[in-house]
Amino acid sequence: LWMGFRLLIILLKERPDDPDGWILRGFSLLRQNKSKEAIACFNHVIQDHPENADALHYRALAEYTSHGDLKQAIQDLLTVRGRDPRRLNSRVLLAKLYRLTRQFPLAADEYEAVIKLEPDQSSVRVEYAQFLLSVVEVMDRLSPENRESFATTVRAVHVALGGEGAYTTSLKL
C-alpha cells in the first residue's frame, strides 16, 4: 500500500492536473482514515471538474464516515444521482445519509429506487429491511398516543413525496 501511495505522489508531481490521480490519492487517504486530507484531494478535483461523479461520491463518503458536512454530502450525491440515476453505490450512500439525518421517507425512497433498478441486490434489500425494522422499533417504544402521531406524520410525509409501495405496506400505516 505504501509503495502504491508513493508512486501516486510521483505521478501527481509529473501530472498535477490529473483528476484521476487526485481521486486515487484521496481514496487512499480515506482508506487510511484521513478524511480531511482525502476531502482536500476531492475538492481539488471538484474545483476544476464540478460534475466529476467519482470525486463527488468519494467526498460524500469521506463526509459520511467522518460525520462531517452531511448537508454537503447529500448535495454531492444528489448531483451524482441527477447525472447518473443508475449509480447505485451513490444512491445507497444517499439513503444512509438520509437515515443519519433523520429524513426517513427520503431514505425509503432511495432504497426503493435502488431495488427497483436492481431487484437482485440482496445486500440493499437486507439494509432496507433493517431500516424498516428500526423505524418499527421506534414506533414500538412510543406511547400509544405518540405512536399514532408518529405513524401519521411518517405516512403524511411519505404520501406528500409521492411514495407508495413497500415502505407504507411494511409499516402497516
Side-chain angles (χ1 to χ4, degrees), residues 17-134:
D17 295 328
D18 180 16
D20 291 333
W22 282 101
I23 291 169
L24 287 171
R25 182 171 184 216
F27 182 75
S28 177
L29 290 164
L30 185 57
R31 297 223 16 178
Q32 298 171 51
N33 294 320
K34 297 180 179 180
S35 297
K36 287 183 182 179
E37 293 95 332
I39 290 168
C41 291
F42 304 132
N43 284 341
H44 183 82
V45 174
I46 293 166
Q47 180 179 353
D48 294 330
H49 309 278
E51 299 292 316
N52 186 300
D54 289 330
L56 291 166
H57 172 84
Y58 287 119
R59 180 170 72 178
L61 181 61
E63 296 288 6
Y64 170 74
T65 58
S66 67
H67 293 281
D69 188 347
L70 301 182
K71 285 184 181 182
Q72 180 63 58
I74 289 170
Q75 187 57 51
D76 287 348
L77 294 171
L78 288 172
T79 300
V80 171
R81 184 183 72 185
R83 294 194 68 232
D84 184 5
R86 296 196 61 84
R87 191 174 174 125
L88 302 183
N89 58 343
S90 294
R91 303 228 24 202
V92 171
L93 180 56
L94 181 57
K96 290 177 181 181
L97 281 159
Y98 281 145
R99 286 176 68 177
L100 189 61
T101 58
R102 299 182 173 274
Q103 298 178 67
F104 301 126
L106 294 175
D109 289 343
E110 283 305 309
Y111 283 124
E112 288 177 11
V114 170
I115 291 168
K116 187 174 184 179
L117 288 168
E118 290 289 334
D120 295 332
Q121 287 286 327
S122 60
S123 61
V124 176
R125 287 181 171 280
V126 168
E127 189 173 318
Y128 183 40
Q130 290 170 338
F131 163 65
L132 292 173
L133 288 172
S134 69

Side-chain angles (χ1 to χ4, degrees), residues 5-6 8-10 19 27 30 34 55 64 79 85 91 94 107 117 128 142-143 153 160 168 170 172:
F5 190 70
R6 288 182 60 203
L8 188 56
I9 290 174
I10 292 169
F27 182 75
L30 185 57
K34 297 180 179 180
Y64 170 74
T79 300
R91 303 228 24 202
L94 181 57
L117 288 168
Y128 183 40
L142 295 172
S143 64
T153 301
T168 306
S170 298
K172 296 182 174 80

Side-chain angles (χ1 to χ4, degrees), residues 133-161:
L133 288 172
S134 69
V135 172
V136 169
E137 287 173 2
V138 168
M139 288 182 66
D140 285 345
R141 282 185 261 151
L142 295 172
S143 64
E145 59 274 1
N146 288 337
R147 185 178 306 135
E148 182 55 35
S149 173
F150 179 80
T152 301
T153 301
V154 170
R155 183 185 326 110
V157 170
H158 192 66
V159 168
L161 293 171

